[in-house]
Amino acid sequence: MTEPDDSGRSPRRWAVSVLQWLLALGAFWYVIRGVDWGATAAALGDLSSLVVAAVLAVTALEFCARFAMWYVLVNGLVDASLATTARVDLVIKFVNHVVPSKAAGHSVAPLVLRHYTGVEWSDAVGLAGVNTGLYAALYGATALSSVAYFGPLTGRLSGGWLLVLVFSTGIYVAAGALVLLTGRRMDVAGRLVARLEGTLRQVPRIGDRLAG
């Protein structure tokens, strides 16, 4: 059996931490290697300081809203710090950016929730579903308000563009509302996952690890 070191962390945990940092740095390098920093600096230089400040403020507000949403949802079941729920959100968004599909991050959300908060699989599935529904509904509602401003109110969008944007953002609103309205049936998915967990535990020697 591996003995923990003086800091209270086993060599295995240190190895996992090092691997996580290497993966994060590798992904960061992969993203920034194609950036033309000269063109980026020139483009930012053409913007007014007010616009840059507004973009940074909106971005910060978005992060705070996402962290707060997970914090409220998770703390409805277990005690979790804001830092923990922020990690949950950032890991999910990281998967979204690495894999070219937003569905990828949401599909691993139950796994991430269970890893960082220790909730049961059934609860993790329910929390992930509610978060997805809220995100889609809020995203769609915000987008529709922007479409309304640039469309009927100011007339900056042509009829064709307005129709396309209303349809695409309406899908978000409809999907989010559908998930939230059917939230009472999330227990069905939860029971299915719980049953799968029980089945995995029957696998000899590695069953407990598979069940998480």
Side-chain angles (χ1 to χ4, degrees):
M1 181 176 180
T2 304
E3 295 294 334
D5 57 16
D6 294 337
S7 63
R9 300 186 66 182
S10 67
R12 179 183 176 184
R13 287 184 176 274
W14 278 110
V16 171
S17 297
V18 171
L19 180 60
Q20 289 175 334
W21 276 102
L22 289 176
L23 287 174
L25 292 174
F28 182 70
W29 171 82
Y30 178 79
V31 171
I32 67 172
R33 67 173 183 166
V35 177
D36 187 341
W37 293 106
T40 301
L44 291 176
D46 293 336
L47 298 175
S48 67
S49 57
L50 181 61
V51 172
V52 174
V55 170
L56 292 177
V58 171
T59 302
L61 181 62
E62 181 209 359
F63 274 91
C64 291
R66 285 177 9 209
F67 297 164
M69 184 184 297
W70 278 118
Y71 180 81
V72 172
L73 291 176
V74 172
N75 277 270
L77 293 177
V78 296
D79 291 332
S81 65
L82 183 60
T84 298
T85 55
R87 291 189 186 97
V88 170
D89 179 81
L90 292 175
V91 170
I92 294 172
K93 295 304 177 185
F94 173 79
V95 175
N96 281 341
H97 288 294
V98 172
V99 181
S101 172
K102 284 191 174 182
H106 292 291
S107 64
V108 301
L111 178 63
V112 177
L113 280 167
R114 181 167 172 80
H115 173 74
Y116 282 105
T117 66
V119 297
E120 297 295 331
W121 280 113
S122 56
D123 294 330
V125 172
L127 287 174
V130 172
N131 179 268
T132 300
L134 287 172
Y135 178 84
L138 292 175
Y139 183 92
T142 303
L144 283 178
S145 65
S146 299
V147 171
Y149 174 77
F150 289 105
L153 295 181
T154 62
R156 297 182 182 180
L157 290 175
S158 63
W161 278 110
L162 182 61
L163 181 62
V164 170
L165 291 175
V166 168
F167 178 74
S168 60
T169 54
I171 292 176
Y172 269 94
V173 175
L178 182 62
V179 171
L180 294 176
L181 289 175
T182 58
R184 292 175 299 177
R185 304 308 302 165
M186 282 293 178
D187 59 332
V188 176
R191 288 198 299 270
L192 178 61
V193 174
R195 189 176 298 113
L196 177 61
E197 179 182 3
T199 302
L200 291 176
R201 289 189 185 279
Q202 303 302 318
V203 179
R205 299 182 65 86
I206 61 172
D208 290 339
R209 290 187 178 183
L210 289 176

